[in-house]
Amino acid sequence: MKWETVIGLEVHAQLNTRSKIFSGASTAFGAAPNTQACAVDIALPGTLPVMNRAAVEKAIRFGLSVGGRVARRSIFARKNYFYPDLPKGYQISQYELPVVEGGTVTIVVGETEKTVRLTRAHLEEDAGKSLHEDFHGETGIDLNRAGTPLLEIVSEPEMRSSAEAVAYAKAIHGLVRWIDICDGNMQEGSFRCDANVSVRPLGSETLGTRCEIKNLNSFRFLERAIDFEVRRQIEVNEDGGKVVQETRLYDPDRDETRPMRSKEDAHDYRYFPDPDLLPLEISEPWMAEVQAALPELPQVRRERYASAYGLTPYDAAVLTASREIADYFEAAAEGASGAVAKTLANWIAGPLSAQLNDAGAEIGESRVSARQLRRLVERINDGTISNKIAREVFDAVWTGEAQGDDAADKVIESRGLKQISDSGALEKIADDVIAANAQQVADYRGGKDKAFNSLVGQVMKATKGKANPQQVTEILKRRLG
Ligand code: ADP
Ligand code: MG
């Protein structure tokens, strides 16, 4: 039997407001335990929550960015449960009337685009943290995080593989940073995913029983947790068993998911409207104001890059992973041909990213400016230098060997790196190599392709890499007939 994987994601994006969602306490990360929890956050009797306008504005930004319906009126509800890091005994969240409903996100897997629909996005507060290390059998409670604003973004169960789930999570991650509502820092827990996973016989229309894997805080863990869970569920089914609906945890050390608790249903939480908070009303003028302040969205840029430069969905997605990357690309590609834009895309995703990674730098700190990269890429595309030599030129520009937009030209000139395209000169070198390597020539004629590559390599070496490999191949083929 063939099985189909079905995945729906719940993403918790911590909104990057300075103060908490219902109090004035700071949201800054890393303070000493319990120094940023005020009377409201620790639920002292008689305290009352007050809505943070900035958190609402960020939720509106998100709703507009995904083309969802921003509710003119939404309601806060109490989600009741007991946990030591939840002093109120309930979490303030939204249930029946969330601030955003619907909307879509476009994901790219390989060269295929797919639209994933969102169910909703709602505002809620985070809980505190239980600390188990350093407490020798006891548990410490840090309430600094209590009351931190979260936007929970819920997708429809429309992903069909771990690769799609990761692409979706990355698209949301890119978007919330793009529109500046969340810093996306996964190590600090500002962006975390719960993956709902089920399997069903291929062709079946009904959903299988799902398990929810909680708190995945890296894209790699998300992928591995789903892959494990899918294998596990298929196995359970094929052994004649039934998947039990439950909440599971992923253990990265053992690369497996384990049951955490049986899944509670919504009615277990006894949701009811929070009597301490008025309904949240969003006016038309406010929405219009937020809309006007939105930057050009990644999806719009992707479409622009596709139509202006003929870039593929994959390249366009890579270039719009962040606003900084997209801005760099645009500065480099202004007025460029499709071919130059394509080479630029390759260089930004390849050598430039690698170099930035090594240096631990952001693209805004790149030591090769957008215009410098443009010139370098033009010299590759017009045949002045090979892609390989271009790496050398790139490194030289990175280390500051030459300055200005035309730094690449200066390095090519001063180091004498121009590709040898004079075919007479190349033929002479090819003849020398042939004469000096009778054995390899014989091997090649005897059918060994490897010997031919070695001859090409020797010509390249004799020219210090400055020959056009394609031209060398043609000349040798002709000579060796
Ligand atoms: P909760 O987890 O709080 O009970 P929901 O019922 O809204 O919330 O579902 C949460 C997520 O689970 C959504 O992203 C939804 O798409 C996904 N989901 C629901 N049913 C399934 C299923 N059978 N398989 C995979 N994902 C599912
Ligand atoms: Mg859930």
Side-chain angles (χ1 to χ4, degrees), residues 10 196 210 212 214 263:
E10 293 162 82
N196 292 269
R210 71 177 148 133
E212 177 171 357
K214 281 277 182 203
K263 169 79 187 165

Side-chain angles (χ1 to χ4, degrees), residues 20 38 65 84 132 166 179 202-203 235 253 298 354 359 403 419 425 441:
K20 293 189 177 170
C38 71
S65 299
H132 304 291
V166 169
I179 60 175
L202 192 63
E235 223 166 86
D253 295 327
Q403 319 298 321
Q419 193 155 266
V441 170

Side-chain angles (χ1 to χ4, degrees), residues 277-329:
L277 284 158
L278 291 167
L280 172 61
E281 289 186 354
I282 296 168
S283 70
E284 286 285 348
W286 190 18
M287 285 239 309
E289 216 177 279
V290 176
Q291 174 84 61
L294 275 180
E296 187 184 28
L297 296 171
Q299 182 60 25
V300 178
R301 288 221 192 172
R302 281 200 283 277
E303 281 155 20
R304 198 149 57 70
Y305 298 169
S307 65
Y309 304 113
L311 291 182
T312 64
Y314 176 81
D315 283 330
V318 168
L319 293 171
T320 52
S322 79
R323 234 157 111 179
E324 291 74 22
I325 295 172
D327 287 347
Y328 183 97
F329 168 71

Side-chain angles (χ1 to χ4, degrees), residues 168-468:
Y168 168 83
K170 284 186 174 169
I172 296 282
H173 186 254
L175 179 63
V176 295
R177 295 181 60 198
W178 189 289
I179 60 175
D180 189 27
I181 65 170
C182 170
D183 68 19
N185 189 325
M186 297 176 86
Q187 266 110 49
E188 293 179 2
S190 305
F191 188 92
R192 25 192 223 266
C193 301
D194 301 341
N196 292 269
V197 180
S198 65
V199 298
R200 63 182 173 190
L202 192 63
S204 160
E205 292 290 319
T206 46
L207 290 171
T209 304
R210 71 177 148 133
C211 288
E212 177 171 357
I213 314 163
K214 281 277 182 203
N215 275 334
L216 296 159
N217 65 353
S218 86
F219 296 123
R220 202 163 61 90
F221 291 169
L222 174 64
E223 179 175 17
R224 302 185 72 149
I226 292 170
D227 287 341
F228 175 87
E229 185 59 20
V230 168
R231 280 199 305 275
R232 187 189 72 84
Q233 292 185 13
I234 291 175
E235 223 166 86
V236 168
N237 283 307
E238 293 191 336
D239 289 348
K242 269 200 172 136
V243 173
V244 189
Q245 181 167 336
E246 64 189 356
T247 302
R248 299 177 70 90
L249 269 188
Y250 176 68
D251 177 348
D253 295 327
R254 302 174 64 169
D255 191 25
E256 63 178 27
T257 67
R258 281 201 298 273
M260 181 163 113
R261 55 173 190 250
S262 69
K263 169 79 187 165
E264 52 297 293
D265 286 313
H267 64 250
D268 295 327
Y269 289 118
R270 300 289 189 272
Y271 279 100
F272 67 89
D274 192 315
D276 288 343
L277 284 158
L278 291 167
L280 172 61
E281 289 186 354
I282 296 168
S283 70
E284 286 285 348
W286 190 18
M287 285 239 309
E289 216 177 279
V290 176
Q291 174 84 61
L294 275 180
E296 187 184 28
L297 296 171
Q299 182 60 25
V300 178
R301 288 221 192 172
R302 281 200 283 277
E303 281 155 20
R304 198 149 57 70
Y305 298 169
S307 65
Y309 304 113
L311 291 182
T312 64
Y314 176 81
D315 283 330
V318 168
L319 293 171
T320 52
S322 79
R323 234 157 111 179
E324 291 74 22
I325 295 172
D327 287 347
Y328 183 97
F329 168 71
E330 282 192 32
E334 201 190 329
S337 67
V340 165
K342 168 68 188 160
T343 312
L344 272 171
N346 293 345
W347 271 75
I348 290 171
L352 179 63
S353 291
Q355 184 68 263
L356 290 169
N357 250 348
D358 282 352
E362 298 294 324
I363 196 159
E365 304 161 309
S366 172
R367 298 177 62 180
V368 174
S369 74
R371 283 157 174 267
Q372 287 174 330
L373 187 67
R374 164 70 171 271
R375 183 61 61 94
L376 175 69
V377 160
E378 281 174 346
R379 292 301 167 255
I380 301 169
N381 278 38
D382 68 14
T384 306
I385 52 174
S386 68
N387 215 35
K388 189 149 170 256
I389 291 290
R391 298 295 287 256
E392 179 183 338
V393 178
F394 177 85
D395 288 344
V397 176
W398 181 274
T399 53
E401 187 174 304
Q403 319 298 321
D405 292 351
D406 61 349
D409 286 334
K410 290 174 184 155
V411 171
I412 294 167
E413 183 62 41
S414 67
R415 292 199 184 191
L417 296 174
K418 232 181 225 157
Q419 193 155 266
I420 303 170
S421 45
D422 170 357
S423 53
L426 278 183
E427 277 164 8
K428 166 95 186 45
I429 296 170
D431 287 340
D432 291 347
V433 167
I434 288 170
N437 293 278
Q439 185 58 48
Q440 269 153 338
V441 170
D443 285 351
Y444 167 66
R445 290 197 164 124
K448 285 192 189 156
D449 287 344
K450 255 201 190 143
F452 186 78
N453 294 341
S454 149
L455 292 170
V456 173
Q458 294 202 46
V459 176
M460 293 305 294
K461 199 169 155 204
T463 61
K464 300 203 175 68
K466 289 187 287 183
N468 178 335

Side-chain angles (χ1 to χ4, degrees), residues 90-112:
Y90 60 86
Q91 176 195 27
I92 303 178
S93 181
Q94 296 192 298
Y95 183 57
E96 269 167 90
L97 288 176
V99 64
V100 175
E101 282 186 289
T104 57
V105 171
T106 303
I107 64 171
V108 180
V109 179
E111 286 296 359
T112 312

